[in-house]
Amino acid sequence: MERSEVAARASEDMAGPAPEPGAGVVAEGSTAAVQPPPDACLPAVSGLLDGLPKQRGSMSVPVPGLVPAAVPPAAPEPRFRIRPWRLLPTPTGTPFTFGYAAVLAVTSLVTEYADPALVHSLLQGSSTDVAHLVHTPVLVLLASALWIAGGIASPYVLGFLLVMTALERRVGGLRTAGVFLLGHVLATLATELPVGLAVLVGHLPDSSLHRLDYGISFGVAAGTGALAGLLSPWLRWPLLGLFGGMLVQDLLAFTDPMTEWGHLMALAIGVATWPVLRRWASTPGRPSAQALKRASA
């Protein structure tokens, strides 16, 4: 009898406590509350790798009834804008051309309204003839570029404004001044030295050593040739053709052959600066190398 009671108690301990009445039984018509698993509140991690932090990006949770704001389309940039005021020099945009033009305006007023004897003396003292080049070469090479041959009505005045402004906007003021001075000096020496040699051998009279030679035309011709190398082909070749044709026509007229040869030499000097100018223009803040590559095609 005692053994049967002990066995019954052992079976009850192994089975555990008896459920309370009504537990586990769902009443008819009622909904059972199902407990979610403990990891149900965590985001999906099936596509993540173990041991690599910061794999989750920003997760956007949709809000019911909230419509996302529409992003307005970006306005297309204009491919080409006409800005005629950039064709002329300005004190801030092109200080070299603007300041030089102001000096030329003053000297033009002097030649127009000053006493003729004074004007002749000033021009004679600034002339890059052989006599002055022998004694004061630096002074006359600089002073001769302060006067306009033919006055303010010369076509080289308009050429100076347009060409030097466009060149300075592309390579800067100091480099534009260098191109102008290079063409002015080299073309002057190339035309005056043969005159000196011709006088030395007796082919020209001694009066040729004192001929008036001044103006900005050599510098403008060099600037035109240099600027053409920075333009697109459909602008470059018409510019060279028109300007070069005008110079050849003046040379054939044979009114001043030494000066006209100097213009052609200055144009060639400007063309010879293309590799250097294109390298300068590709520096930061200037046209991109790709644009210059298209221009050189």
Side-chain angles (χ1 to χ4, degrees), residues 38-255:
D39 59 346
C41 59
L42 297 178
V45 294
S46 59
L48 302 183
L49 300 177
D50 295 337
L52 295 181
K54 297 185 179 180
Q55 298 182 60
R56 295 187 180 92
S58 58
M59 301 176 61
S60 59
V61 180
V63 179
L66 180 61
V67 179
V71 179
E77 296 183 359
R79 295 184 178 180
F80 182 75
R81 290 185 297 174
I82 299 177
R83 294 177 288 183
W85 60 87
R86 290 180 60 85
L87 298 177
L88 298 177
T90 59
T92 56
T94 55
F96 165 72
T97 306
F98 185 86
Y100 198 173
V103 173
L104 293 175
V106 172
T107 57
S108 298
L109 292 176
V110 170
T111 57
E112 184 70 24
Y113 297 104
D115 182 69
L118 175 61
V119 172
H120 179 75
S121 177
L122 291 173
L123 295 179
Q124 188 68 47
S126 304
S127 175
T128 52
D129 52 46
V130 177
H132 284 101
L133 287 175
V134 171
H135 296 92
T136 55
V138 177
L139 177 62
V140 295
L141 283 172
L142 295 177
S144 63
L146 301 178
W147 308 92
I148 302 175
I152 200 70
S154 172
Y156 282 98
V157 174
L158 181 61
F160 172 85
L161 294 176
L162 297 179
V163 170
M164 294 295 110
T165 298
L167 185 60
E168 186 172 359
R169 291 191 185 279
R170 285 164 173 79
V171 298
L174 290 178
R175 292 161 180 171
T176 300
V179 171
F180 183 93
L181 193 61
L182 182 67
H184 175 74
V185 171
L186 293 184
T188 298
L189 296 177
T191 54
E192 290 297 334
L193 291 181
V195 173
L197 293 176
V199 172
L200 186 63
V201 299
H203 291 171
L204 290 175
D206 293 345
S207 59
S208 300
L209 299 176
H210 303 279
R211 75 187 191 98
L212 283 178
D213 186 15
Y214 62 92
I216 61 173
S217 57
F218 289 168
V220 174
T224 303
L227 175 64
L230 303 178
L231 300 177
S232 57
W234 67 275
L235 285 176
R236 177 192 313 145
W237 302 119
L239 175 62
L240 289 177
L242 290 175
F243 188 71
M246 182 187 71
L247 297 182
V248 171
Q249 184 178 0
D250 293 340
L251 178 63
L252 295 178
F254 214 73
T255 55

